Amino acid sequence: PALAAAAVKAARGWSGLLLGVRSVVLQLLGLTQVRWSRYGPEYQDPQIDKAYYRKPSAELNEEEKYERELRKTPVIKAAPATKTSSVFEDPVISKFTNMMMKGGNKILARSLMTQTLETVKRKQFEKYHAASAEEQATTECNPYTIFQQALKNCEPVIGLVPMLKGGHFYQVPVPLADQRRHFLAMKWMITKLSRELLEAFHKRGPVVNRKHDTHKTAEANRARAHYRWW
Amino acid sequence: IMLKGMTRLISSVHKAKHGEQHEGQHYNISFQDLKTVFSHGLPPRFVMQVKTFNEACLMVRRPALELLHYLKNTNFAHPAVRYVFYGEKGTGKTLSLCHSIHFCAKQDWLILHIPDAHLWVKNCRDLLQSTYNKQRFDQPLEASTWLKNFKTANEHFLSQIKVQEKYVWNKRESTEKGSPLGEVVEQGIMRVRNATDAVGIVLKELKRQSSSGIFRLLVAVDGVNALWGRTTLKREDKSPIAPEELAFIYNLRKMVKNDWQGGAIVLTVSQTGSLFKPRKAYLPQELLGKEGFDALDPFIPILVSNYNPKEFESCIHYYLENNWLQHEKAHTEEGKKELLFLSNRNPGQLERLCAYL
């Protein structure tokens, strides 16, 4: 994976080459590029964090001074409209809202997200009031911690990839990269949000079951593991 | 864990003693009062908040204090004075109205509370031709629900007040002169067809008898601009109905006129439920229209504005006490500054922001 990533990055830098040549090269390496970027390699990512800019120059050490100098060059990519320097922002939540969005309707996705968080919070409060003294210490009322813990509980460790070999599609177990795990967890969760979030937090419920099912089928198809060639 | 902090008043402080120094503090409403007086008055988000926190706390704010001051000093021999709460969306007009209703209920006035006049001029399923006057229309469902809530709010008055006329409902039923008002209300609840007429009778009797001095009447209408606007209701031949052709609206307009003594009229104008009015309109002139303004003139307007810094701090403090703000950054100074910026100190916006933080 590291080799492939470096290759993709280098390939992105060949902005002058023909499309055909690039795709042939990438296919030889076993990867097809899905997303193009209009920015060349000299563009840096935007730095949103307020604390980074507020540090007085006396406190910087060598690398940070170098970064600051680098930042003074005018080529920085535009920050997307959804990334704010707000204190309340959470990259996981933003990713989730983007995934829920259909047809570019971010307003609807965001309102759904906020309503889910609110219903989760109200349900937890009701449980808190109804519970006894010891249970009150353990009931978690913060919807953000619930959300993150629920996603972590849903991530499958190992996933299945259908591979064509000898005319048949076999399900082959494959270790998953972090991003793919997050993506799968969020995708499975999107239907019937608040109840599923709560149940996933407590490690029950349909999404966690689906994760366990994936693990089980991966175990069952263990014999086909040698079909994987990366 | 639920500590009673500096922002809470001790509930033994009687409502009559709310003064300038209490501005910005919250006071508790007992569950008993919620069930009787506010069975149909509170905004839905507030009801959710009451359910979640297991308590109902209102903030004492300047417009409400002003109104309470006027109410304490009313001269009941003079005709009823009209007070109108106006302000932008989400500033707290309905809750100020509820505050004054609670005050009057504690002082033992008779409360005539119409929770939202806009509900009567739109989305009505069944319109019957009125039995009393062929030109007008009845709304049986809304009238019967309103009568039920009115009964729970003013139980003890209904047996004391006697009707002064004989009313014939149909060939078999009639209410004799001198029978208690409770009977009229019962009749309206049971015979849904005559519910609107029962409401009209109740209003007429109360208006006539409040001048006599047995009781004091508070007429509280939320969204009074619905009485003079347009309706979305149509007849069977799809021609629109004007508000005065609805019997309930017709009677309510007579109620809001200041030709009776012995009480006060407190109103709010709101854009939120209103029909065919622009979103940014909040002044009484814009929302009432010419007809409404002339009908309500003269009245005392009371502006309800966003929180001032002290009230904002108090509100945040109240949420923190109830552990409603769960986000870890919300407790910091940065978080508070951001909430202030995002909500512009608007109470409604602040409540919605804090709901998911």
Side-chain angles (χ1 to χ4, degrees):
Chain A
L3 190 68
V8 166
K9 218 171 171 180
R12 215 191 287 161
W14 303 346
S15 37
L17 283 182
L18 293 168
L19 275 159
V21 175
R22 207 188 325 182
S23 57
V24 158
V25 164
L26 286 173
Q27 264 169 9
L28 282 177
L29 286 169
L31 285 167
T32 43
Q33 191 161 356
V34 182
R35 264 162 232 108
W36 311 92
S37 173
R38 298 290 296 185
Y39 292 117
E42 65 273 5
Y43 279 81
Q44 300 155 26
D45 285 313
Q47 175 67 264
I48 305 277
D49 188 24
K50 272 193 273 201
Y52 177 81
Y53 290 111
R54 281 197 194 142
K55 260 172 118 174
S57 10
E59 285 188 12
L60 300 176
N61 49 14
E62 278 309 312
E63 353 172 308
E64 285 177 337
K65 278 205 184 124
Y66 176 71
E67 270 183 50
R68 287 288 172 100
E69 281 301 315
L70 210 61
R71 291 240 141 232
K72 286 185 190 163
T73 57
V75 276
I76 302 184
K77 294 185 200 166
T82 43
K83 255 188 102 151
T84 54
S85 56
S86 148
V87 196
F88 297 122
E89 193 213 338
D90 195 352
V92 185
I93 302 272
S94 333
K95 190 89 193 152
F96 202 72
T97 27
N98 283 343
M99 287 183 63
M100 282 206 292
M101 178 163 65
K102 267 193 194 159
N105 196 350
K106 180 85 101 188
I107 308 174
L108 186 64
R110 185 141 156 190
S111 57
L112 284 176
M113 190 75 221
T114 47
Q115 276 166 28
T116 318
L117 289 173
E118 190 184 332
T119 25
V120 161
K121 201 164 155 188
R122 280 190 205 266
K123 279 190 199 169
Q124 285 298 95
F125 261 79
E126 271 171 41
K127 269 205 279 189
Y128 180 86
H129 286 300
S132 62
E134 326 65 60
E135 280 174 44
Q136 273 184 359
T138 49
T139 38
E140 174 65 54
C141 278
N142 189 343
Y144 289 91
T145 42
I146 290 186
F147 189 75
Q148 300 195 342
Q149 188 61 39
L151 280 182
K152 267 192 230 144
N153 288 349
C154 285
E155 284 169 9
V157 170
I158 197 165
L160 293 172
V161 169
M163 288 200 54
L164 178 58
K165 187 133 177 159
H168 294 283
F169 277 98
Y170 297 105
Q171 299 281 354
V172 177
V174 138
L176 297 172
D178 254 346
Q179 257 194 343
R180 176 98 184 132
R181 270 195 262 169
H182 293 318
F183 173 75
L184 279 178
M186 289 198 255
K187 193 164 134 191
W188 295 344
M189 188 104 72
I190 284 183
T191 44
K192 198 74 186 299
L193 273 177
S194 63
R195 191 186 55 151
E196 293 208 3
L197 272 175
L198 274 174
E199 289 179 348
F201 178 68
H202 291 289
K203 295 205 178 127
R204 326 181 274 264
V207 188
V208 184
N209 285 343
R210 179 146 176 195
K211 173 185 96 160
H212 289 316
D213 287 338
T214 335
H215 283 185
K216 276 184 219 155
T217 39
E219 273 295 305
N221 290 350
R222 214 167 39 172
R224 312 212 203 283
H226 60 272
Y227 283 161
R228 179 172 63 102
W229 46 270
W230 66 87
Chain B
I1 301 194
M2 305 278 182
L3 298 167
K4 289 228 179 246
M6 288 259 300
T7 54
R8 303 280 184 84
L9 289 179
I10 318 164
S11 22
S12 59
V13 172
H14 190 60
K15 305 298 169 297
K17 299 203 193 96
H18 280 176
E20 294 277 318
Q21 71 275 21
H22 296 301
E23 189 185 321
Q25 295 187 353
H26 293 261
Y27 80 95
N28 235 317
I29 303 179
S30 63
F31 279 122
Q32 197 57 34
D33 291 335
L34 273 179
K35 268 191 281 189
T36 48
V37 179
F38 291 124
S39 47
H40 63 159
L42 299 169
R45 282 201 78 95
F46 188 71
V47 171
M48 278 202 297
Q49 183 181 305
V50 166
K51 188 163 167 261
T52 317
F53 289 169
N54 263 352
E55 61 179 3
C57 271
L58 276 189
M59 198 198 280
V60 175
R61 295 183 69 194
R62 188 164 298 167
L65 279 177
E66 203 182 315
L67 182 66
L68 295 191
H69 177 73
Y70 294 146
L71 285 176
K72 279 180 227 174
N73 302 346
T74 33
N75 184 345
F76 292 106
H78 289 177
V81 187
R82 288 180 283 222
Y83 307 95
V84 176
F85 281 118
Y86 71 100
E88 291 185 336
K89 182 172 163 179
T91 44
K93 305 180 281 286
T94 312
L95 279 182
S96 305
L97 191 76
C98 292
H99 183 115
S100 37
I101 290 176
H102 193 224
F103 171 79
C104 294
K106 286 287 181 214
Q107 302 269 307
D108 222 22
W109 292 34
L110 204 162
I111 313 280
L112 193 78
H113 180 42
I114 287 102
D116 193 358
H118 293 296
L119 295 174
W120 291 75
V121 298
K122 55 182 178 176
N123 301 338
C124 180
R125 290 294 164 82
D126 38 8
L127 274 182
L128 301 173
Q129 206 183 26
S130 168
T131 39
Y132 183 68
N133 185 339
K134 289 280 175 285
Q135 248 74 27
R136 299 197 208 124
F137 291 94
D138 263 358
Q139 284 149 308
L141 278 180
E142 280 98 7
S144 52
T145 23
W146 187 82
L147 277 174
K148 280 190 208 122
N149 290 326
F150 179 69
K151 198 173 123 179
T152 33
N154 302 305
E155 287 274 11
H156 51 282
F157 279 113
L158 291 177
S159 41
Q160 289 170 14
I161 305 171
K162 312 278 182 229
V163 290
Q164 288 172 350
E165 243 183 59
K166 179 173 160 164
Y167 295 105
V168 177
W169 299 103
N170 50 30
K171 272 182 247 159
R172 267 161 285 171
E173 288 163 16
S174 66
T175 318
E176 297 301 322
K177 178 171 161 179
S179 52
L181 200 60
E183 265 193 39
V184 176
V185 176
E186 284 299 328
Q187 181 72 24
I189 296 176
M190 276 193 299
R191 295 267 176 274
V192 184
R193 283 196 58 166
N194 299 335
T196 322
D197 293 327
V199 172
I201 292 172
V202 163
L203 293 179
K204 193 160 77 169
E205 289 296 322
L206 287 177
K207 189 165 159 177
R208 228 190 292 175
Q209 294 184 20
S210 68
S211 328
S212 56
I214 319 169
F215 57 88
R216 302 199 200 133
L217 181 61
L218 176 78
V219 179
V221 185
D222 203 339
V224 74
N225 44 331
L227 298 185
W228 286 282
R230 286 154 63 182
T231 62
T232 40
L233 304 172
K234 292 197 174 58
R235 298 194 191 96
E236 282 89 26
D237 52 357
K238 311 271 187 206
S239 56
I241 305 181
E244 41 284 339
E245 289 171 32
L246 290 168
F248 185 75
I249 306 287
Y250 185 76
N251 293 327
L252 207 55
R253 280 193 194 178
K254 284 193 268 185
M255 207 63 200
V256 170
K257 246 184 353 179
N258 56 349
D259 49 1
W260 50 278
Q261 299 104 346
I265 310 178
V266 184
L267 312 164
T268 47
V269 279
S270 92
Q271 197 278 330
T272 319
S274 74
L275 300 159
F276 308 105
K277 289 278 186 268
R279 201 162 58 92
K280 294 286 179 188
Y282 72 96
L283 298 166
Q285 168 75 30
E286 295 163 348
L287 285 172
L288 288 169
K290 186 171 185 315
E291 213 188 306
F293 197 79
D294 291 333
L296 278 188
D297 205 17
F299 61 87
I300 300 183
I302 308 180
L303 171 66
V304 184
S305 57
N306 291 333
Y307 285 149
N308 50 27
K310 184 173 159 211
E311 287 173 342
F312 181 79
E313 280 296 323
S314 156
C315 188
I316 298 268
H317 199 81
Y318 172 64
Y319 285 140
L320 285 173
E321 270 187 13
N322 285 52
N323 287 334
W324 186 232
L325 292 175
Q326 284 282 331
H327 200 276
E328 14 350 289
K329 292 282 172 64
H331 302 263
T332 57
E333 270 307 309
E334 288 267 338
K336 277 191 208 157
K337 271 195 264 184
E338 206 173 299
L339 280 176
L340 201 140
F341 175 72
L342 282 174
S343 64
N344 195 17
R345 288 203 221 115
N346 184 307
Q349 275 295 74
L350 182 65
E351 199 265 311
R352 268 162 226 265
L353 276 175
C354 296
Y356 62 85
L357 274 177

